[in-house]
Amino acid sequence: MTNKENRPITEILTKSFPQKDIHGSISMPVYITAAFEFETAEEMEDAFLGKNGKHTYTRISNPTVEAFEARVQAISGAKHVMAVASGMAAISGVFMTVASAGSNIVTSPHLFGNTFSLFLFTLKEFGVEARFCNLLDIKEVEKQIDENTCAVFTEIITNPHMEVVDLAALAEVSHKKGVPLIADSTIVPWTSFKAPDFGVDLEIISSTKYISGGATSIGGLILDYQTFDWTQSKRLKSLAEKVGKRAFQVKFRAEIGRNMGAAMAPQTAFLQNLGLETMDLRFRQAAKTCLELALFLKELPEIKQVNYNGLPSDPFYERGKKQFGDYPGAMLTFSLENRAACFAFINRLKIIRRATNLFDNKSLIIHPESTIYGTLSPEHKKIVEVPDHLLRLSVGLENIEDLKADILQAL
Ligand SMILES: *Cc1c(COP(=O)(O)O)cnc(C)c1O
């Protein structure tokens, strides 16, 4: 197969599971069990000390989850992959591992709603400060980083603001200051976005989105490229002196992951492993439809503005091409006259569904200001800057003509 577009699929389908199934099952067997038993006390001791690679308890590891992680690792090129219960479990788990009381995170206020809330409320109560700044301004980022900064954190395309940071520049300034760059890349899968090419040290993905294969389950992934020298980290320094670049992996696996207890369920690993097999096909189709819809929406007089990185008129178009190629996600935002016009439009839709979530096979619409950011105080709403005339559309796999007709009749 020399067709470049089909390479990622072949790559996924031909990566088999780490251990051959005893029955030769071509699908991944699902081990729905809490515990694993041993022949002898000695074997049990070795398992608990991590000496024989055997599973003990599903909160700590499970063969189905492990096979999913191994497949993600093989096709993403990460050095180590950790699958957890949700995208938020991945984000909170990462900061439970790298931050400590007195440290700060340099980030943007333009974040996924729960990530913003984690930084603004939850971590604050543990003495971790979020320094919200403009990540598009590298000089400002440099000024915000100090000796207590544990990480620079960004989303690769902010949602719903649709900004695209210059990741290589952000990585350069972070690394110069001895700080890792951590990125949430949920919006563009790794078949179109190669995080390590832009200096990202830890990549976080909500596998609920593209990977789950049509909103089948909640899950999260931490991809560790082991590019960062953790001896520069206050929290991980002493461990890094012993285990080198594996410090994050060891801290998460041996302590944080099992203590927080947000393990991925084996049933989820099965579904998401299956989702992986069609991810790139679904993604490319949805992204193509998304671009066509963005061009279509731009021409409609009722629509004030359309934001999509794949539009040549987008302020981040060139940077997006460099970072994501031709497929900068399958989500766009657009503005109508006001909040009332948005609500009326949503209420008239017949094909596009009224739901939160991204990258279902079905197209989904939401009014972010009244929902995702709805419970924020006026003061916090000002920080996140989500206007009330904005709608977010996640594009699915429906026929494009049907989607266009639905939009036209609802306007
Ligand atoms: C959905 C999402 C999350 C959270 O993922 P869950 O699986 O819902 O916990 C985090 N970041 C981004 C960009 C998301 O879209």
Side-chain angles (χ1 to χ4, degrees):
M1 176 65 77
T2 52
N3 178 349
K4 213 171 156 229
E5 293 224 334
N6 283 331
R7 283 303 289 276
I9 299 158
T10 313
E11 224 173 79
I12 292 164
L13 294 176
T14 52
K15 296 286 182 216
S16 54
F17 309 117
Q19 279 168 345
K20 201 167 158 48
D21 175 52
I22 53 168
H23 304 291
S25 167
I26 197 162
S27 294
M28 184 198 282
V30 190
Y31 289 88
I32 304 181
T33 180
F36 301 83
E37 68 173 340
F38 300 93
E39 295 297 329
T40 63
E42 289 76 12
E43 190 190 15
M44 198 166 180
E45 179 185 27
D46 283 350
F48 274 76
L49 299 181
K51 287 185 180 165
N52 57 12
K54 295 219 159 139
H55 301 280
T56 58
Y57 191 68
T58 284
R59 172 163 47 71
I60 296 167
S61 68
N62 173 283
T64 312
V65 177
E66 186 181 72
F68 174 58
E69 291 169 336
R71 211 180 204 196
V72 169
Q73 193 209 326
I75 60 188
S76 67
K79 285 278 194 306
H80 189 73
V81 171
M82 291 144 273
V84 290
S86 68
M88 284 316 302
I91 298 171
S92 56
V94 161
F95 286 101
M96 285 290 163
T97 311
V98 302
S100 50
S103 62
N104 67 70
I105 303 160
V106 172
T107 189
S108 161
H110 298 167
L111 292 167
F112 175 74
N114 285 113
T115 307
F116 184 63
S117 168
L118 172 76
F119 289 167
L120 192 66
F121 305 119
T122 317
L123 290 180
K124 190 176 169 191
E125 303 214 39
F126 290 85
V128 177
E129 176 202 359
R131 294 197 172 161
F132 297 115
C133 67
N134 180 6
L135 297 183
L136 297 166
D137 180 348
I138 300 296
K139 287 219 168 69
E140 193 192 331
V141 175
E142 183 159 11
K143 266 191 245 155
Q144 293 288 339
I145 300 175
D146 64 19
E147 72 280 6
N148 292 320
T149 303
C150 68
V152 171
F153 176 81
T154 187
E155 290 172 13
I156 61 169
I157 302 180
T158 64
N159 156 21
H161 306 83
M162 309 297 276
E163 297 153 337
V164 181
V165 294
D166 182 341
L167 288 165
L170 207 55
E172 195 187 328
V173 69
S174 306
H175 294 157
K176 192 173 88 183
K177 295 268 191 168
V179 169
L181 176 62
I182 303 177
D184 176 337
S185 70
T186 300
I187 209 158
V188 184
W190 61 73
T191 49
S192 287
F193 169 66
K194 308 279 182 214
D197 291 355
F198 303 96
V200 174
D201 302 295
L202 287 174
E203 185 177 11
I204 300 173
I205 300 170
S206 164
S207 55
T208 311
K209 311 297 163 55
Y210 289 117
I211 295 173
S212 78
T216 63
S217 48
I218 301 281
L221 290 164
I222 304 166
L223 279 62
D224 183 357
Y225 291 96
Q226 305 193 346
T227 41
F228 188 69
D229 173 7
W230 294 102
T231 60
Q232 303 171 93
S233 151
K234 278 195 176 156
R235 180 84 185 276
L236 297 177
K237 185 176 192 307
S238 60
L239 184 59
E241 280 161 1
K242 286 189 217 121
V243 303
K245 295 200 163 164
R246 289 168 58 249
F248 179 91
Q249 169 191 336
V250 171
K251 183 81 174 171
F252 188 87
R253 283 287 185 201
E255 179 192 330
I256 307 297
R258 52 180 76 181
N259 291 355
M260 300 302 292
M264 176 176 275
Q267 296 92 326
T268 298
F270 172 81
L271 290 168
Q272 301 204 347
N273 177 66
L274 200 58
L276 268 187
E277 298 185 353
T278 56
M279 176 184 78
D280 196 58
L281 265 184
R282 289 181 285 105
F283 171 65
R284 282 164 192 261
Q285 181 58 49
K288 272 182 192 154
T289 306
C290 189
L291 174 59
E292 247 189 87
L293 275 184
L295 292 164
F296 168 76
L297 291 169
K298 249 176 89 81
E299 300 307 315
L300 300 176
E302 295 89 342
I303 293 178
K304 305 295 159 214
Q305 199 186 330
V306 181
N307 307 302
Y308 180 59
N309 183 229
L311 285 174
S313 58
D314 186 82
F316 303 104
Y317 179 73
E318 289 303 328
R319 185 176 294 165
K321 272 254 179 261
K322 209 170 89 195
Q323 295 180 171
F324 319 118
D326 293 333
Y327 301 96
M331 184 199 93
L332 57 80
T333 62
F334 60 98
S335 294
L336 295 179
E337 187 71 42
N338 51 36
R339 179 188 171 110
C342 290
F343 274 46
F345 175 77
I346 288 180
N347 290 338
R348 284 192 291 260
L349 288 167
K350 295 193 169 98
I351 290 173
I352 298 170
R353 318 281 277 258
R354 289 167 283 272
T356 191
N357 198 12
L358 296 174
F359 319 129
D360 193 331
N361 298 331
K362 305 157 193 93
S363 293
L364 310 176
I365 197 151
I366 194 162
H367 179 256
E369 193 272 338
S370 64
T371 56
I372 299 167
Y373 303 94
T375 58
L376 290 180
S377 66
E379 169 209 350
H380 291 140
K381 278 191 183 181
K382 226 185 234 154
I383 305 177
V384 289
E385 298 177 306
V386 177
D388 68 355
H389 51 76
L390 191 80
L391 288 169
R392 183 183 90 184
L393 177 67
S394 168
V395 177
L397 299 177
E398 301 91 342
N399 182 291
I400 183 151
E401 297 310 323
D402 294 332
L403 291 174
K404 286 182 183 170
D406 197 29
I407 290 166
L408 285 180
Q409 68 80 27
L411 284 172

